[in-house]
Amino acid sequence: MSSWPIRIGLGAIVVSGMLFAQEHGAGPHPKSANEAQVPGDRAHGRAIFEGKGACLSCHRAGDRGSRMGPNLSDIATQRSVDELQKALLDPNREVDSEYRLYRVVTTDGREITGRLLNQDVYSLQMLDSKEQLVVFQKSSLREFNFVQTPPMPSYRDKLSSEEQTDLIAYLATLAGVVKQ
Amino acid sequence: MSVFTTGPWCAMPITTGESSRSQGTGKGIALNSRGAFLSASTVPLSASPSNVTRRARRHALWMRHSSLADLVFLSLALTAHAQSGLPDGPGRAVVERMCTTCHGLNVVTGQRMTKQHWADQVDDMVSRGAVGSDADVRQVVEYLSRNFGKDKPPAGNAEAAAAPESSVSGARSPSAIRTGESEEWRGPKTGVTFERILNANKEPQNWLTYGGTYQSLHYSLLNQVTPENAGNLELKWVFQARWLDPYETTPLVVDGVLYTMQGDDVVALDATTGRLFWIYKYTPVSEARLCCGRISRGLAILGDTLYMAAVDAHLIAIDAKTGHPLWDTTVAQTTSGYTMTVAPLVIKDKVIVGVAGGEYGIRGFIVAYNAHTGREAWRFYTTAGPGDPGRDSWGGDSWKHGGGSVWATGSYDPGTNLTYWGVGNAGPDYNGDVRPGDNLYTSTMVALDADTGKLKWHYQANPHNEFDWDAVQVPLLANMTWHGQPRKVILWADRNGFFYVLDRATGEFLLGKAFVKQNWNVGFDKNGRPIMDPNAKSSTEGTLIFPDNQGGTNWFNPSFSPRTGLFYLNARENYSTIFFKGPQEYEEGDRYDGRGHHPFGFRAVVGDDDDKYTAVRALDPHTGERKWEFKLNTGNSLHTFEGWQTAFGAAGILTTASDLLFTGGREGTFVALDARNGSLLWKATLGGPMIMNPVTYAVHGKQYIAINAGTSLFVFGLR
């Protein structure tokens, strides 16, 4: 009896197992940051977030900060501590396309930048850099395209190790809307 | 060391041939001064460009693109200067020019740093594409450290006012999530301020609050569409809400953005095309008790925050620019029968809502929250309990489950600082035996102090009502000549079939006049208390009452036109109900309406359809006399549970300064009438029932009229 059917069968089992592991995780899912025990001084981390780290210049949390970058109000429920660390140190490893800068130039030469919210064949809907919801008919535009998205700077050299720890401790508290 | 970063829009990699670094190479992207892609070339890059100073690189870039950059930046700077609101002083213009190319100024005004930190920040900005000479940079650093130094007070309302792009609240509190922990917040200074809503008539192109203005006249000063050209109205766009429950949301329109709902979700649409900016999805808890469908009648906006009263009795604040939720306050426990259908009303620094669920034995209330924090400011119970005036109007403990729903939004008079709300019927609906007394403040118009919620006066249209007659029709606040004297009044058409005029400062009863067939009222005493026909009581044998339980009119907005001097409403003529009452015990979360032996506790009289109809009626508010009528819907023969909301319903009324009147009904025809005489000028058959309040607005000088029909929002404008 040929051993090929056995080999094929074993191979199918192996592949199935790999696919299953890939989909369900070969190991336990990492906890989201708000569920983890996170070391660090949260209050100091908040001071860094709002001061030295200048995070609000690009990000928004609650009702403060810029609407141009990713909203961090519930980042702790969406990222593990490890992912937060990586985002601080190597932020351009993963950039949400929703936050790429978009630029339009009107036929009369006005240049508007911002976030692209929606578009169709005829129009664009944006949140411009002045944080106004604006719409453009494409027929009134000379150019419209994504700007090559430069990186969020790495904080590897901007913050000390202790400051990074404290900042992550604060980020781990950003668990979304206050329910009261 | 730079500690400040801009958003990605500013960090343009710089390509120059001047670097002598040798730490490695990488692909650089060359951009012209407008950020357009020019070429990709291999350029030396370094993680730490210490051997080529940032300022040298900046200077090279500046020189390379200066002419084009001048034009672009000058135009941007001029725009920014007009809007920035930065403190005056040397360097302000340079800051506006250099900074606003990439980001708003709120990210500047919200910071407090030392001079060295500001210098590092500006340096970093330059490395990311901010353009300016060395002298410019020095000016910027001086300006920022002088006005936003470490020793300066934290950003508060003043800075929020100075930076129009700033966040909605302008809160003093630095809290990132729990907004506005300081209780000193007195309302936003940007976006849709309280002052703008107070003066909504000065911007008729917008629809800033549920009733159009605080007076809720549902009358617009827009007059581009006229009786002469209304025939040229055409469909401009449609928003198809993915929702099958009755679509009762009245939209808001603010500066070209239309905010409405799609079921439980909130959407922001471009008001000229209907294209979506963003959507906020909300899922109410599955245990929500809903007598009448998953309905929301609209939103409120204050600053840059929207407020939604969800059907599971949560009040939610949402960023109007992005759709992100800001806070979520549980108003009441939905498992106990509470729900909300109102569009909230914002007054000063508060957002006011009312709870519903009177068919489930709730104790109703109107409640105000701090619009910034979501914390309760005051509460008024619509069933008088211990310590409340009117407690003796409830026998025993019946006030505890006495109903008093608040189904529709109130009005506000800044002159009296009173907010006026209609309160729903008492519970159990059809059996008053368990609740002896007048049952204050059910089926009542209440006037509350807007700051404290204290009751100023009340007028009860139906003491001890057993016919499900909510008094939740929107109160219209008008200034009229009454018997030769100027008077500030409330014009109000009640479900019980009567049109009322009350003095809105004192609640004095001025007029009560039936506008449909009725058989329960034989007059009023000198204080306006109705004198009931002695037979007008719910009974176990059944009692025939005109109008029916859905009323001579219902929650949808009437309108008053100061031009015509007429009050307009959609009236339901010749509808009646045989009311049966039955025993009822209270069980938390279960229906508590005292129905009789019929499965629905009542049944409509079946008669000729031609006898029953809905019509637009114009009343003289001085007398209540009908001036004209336009038949909108024919009668329906049976109350069936499916679609009953739409069976009784009609749209509200919108009137304009060009003497137009817009409305629609359950048969799906949207009409434009001449408000002076009721003649039909234009109609559109939209294929679905209309049970919301049409609005009108303008963008770029073009007027639009919006109406929900079926499950979609239709917007019309002139051809």
Side-chain angles (χ1 to χ4, degrees), chain A residues 46 50 52 57-58 60-63 67-68 101 103 118-120 131 150 153 157-158 170 177-180, chain B residues 1-3 5-9 11 34 128 167 169 174-176 178 275-276 319 321 328-330 372-373:
Chain A
R46 178 172 168 175
E50 296 175 358
K52 182 179 180 181
S57 63
C58 298
R60 192 165 180 87
D63 67 344
R67 293 179 171 93
M68 287 292 112
L101 182 69
R103 193 186 93 265
N118 198 6
Q119 68 172 313
D120 61 13
E131 298 190 347
D157 298 326
K158 294 181 182 298
Y170 174 67
V177 170
V178 172
K179 296 201 173 184
Q180 54 197 355
Chain B
M1 180 177 72
S2 172
V3 295
T5 67
T6 64
W9 55 100
R34 294 193 227 122
R128 296 180 179 285
S167 67
S169 65
S175 169
R178 188 172 187 90
R275 297 292 298 171
L276 185 74
D319 186 333
K321 293 183 184 287
D328 177 338
T329 291
T330 301
H372 193 45
T373 64

Side-chain angles (χ1 to χ4, degrees), chain A residues 4 17 31-32 36 49 53 84 99 111 114-115 118 120-121 135 138-139 148 160 163 179:
Chain A
W4 280 109
K31 283 182 181 177
S32 56
F49 184 84
L84 291 176
Y99 295 99
E111 180 176 332
R115 279 177 49 202
N118 198 6
D120 61 13
V121 169
V135 62
K138 287 181 177 176
S139 59
Q148 295 301 315
S160 68
E163 288 173 331
K179 296 201 173 184

